[in-house]
Amino acid sequence: QEQLVESGGGLVQPGGSLRLSCLAPESIFDYYSIAWFRQVPGKEREGVSCISTPTSDGGAYYADSVKGRFTISRDSAKRTVYLQMNSLTLDDTATYYCATDLFCGSWSTGGSRAQNWGQGTQVLVSS
């Protein structure tokens, strides 16, 4: 199964910003919704955001915990989905993963039907 590739994680102070990238193979990018998830050791995986394909409604969806602070977007030329994260807090510390999620159908409940998972990128919010 083809994998997505995340990048862009790192260390940031509270209130700062990071932009995560999720590179998708050509066979995937145009045909699947892509979601971002995050997980902290010992806790359940949390769906963060999902963006539909341009041929569907192209909609973007967000968890309540990140709404107004995070923005998901697609760049077709680069086959990349971005997650712009602003006003970061200590609670945003996690490993962030992207995956395909057909019709953004399962991201909000942890992504049980998500596929093509990437290896993850770590985000550490600390002063």
Side-chain angles (χ1 to χ4, degrees):
Q1 193 178 66
E2 293 178 291
Q3 278 188 302
L4 307 181
V5 179
E6 304 96 337
S7 61
L11 172 64
V12 62
Q13 291 186 338
S17 298
L18 277 177
R19 187 178 76 163
L20 305 184
S21 299
C22 174
L23 176 65
E26 188 172 359
S27 60
I28 287 176
F29 184 81
D30 289 334
Y31 304 105
Y32 292 89
S33 302
I34 294 176
W36 283 97
F37 303 85
R38 64 187 182 187
Q39 190 163 25
V40 175
K43 293 189 175 181
E44 288 189 358
R45 185 171 61 212
E46 177 188 15
V48 175
S49 182
C50 190
I51 188 164
S52 299
T53 61
T55 54
S56 63
D57 66 356
Y61 310 94
Y62 300 93
D64 288 342
S65 59
V66 306
K67 202 171 292 183
R69 300 188 299 122
F70 290 13
T71 303
I72 192 170
S73 62
R74 301 174 71 107
D75 185 332
S76 296
K78 296 182 179 180
R79 292 186 281 113
T80 298
V81 170
Y82 298 104
L83 185 68
Q84 177 66 45
M85 307 187 297
N86 299 328
S87 302
L88 286 161
T89 72
L90 301 180
D91 289 341
D92 295 316
T93 293
T95 299
Y96 285 70
Y97 301 88
C98 61
T100 59
D101 186 30
L102 194 62
F103 304 123
C104 287
S106 72
W107 73 274
S108 62
T109 53
S112 61
R113 296 194 297 274
Q115 297 184 14
N116 307 101
W117 292 89
Q119 80 289 349
T121 186
Q122 289 192 322
V123 172
L124 175 60
V125 183
S126 175
S127 55

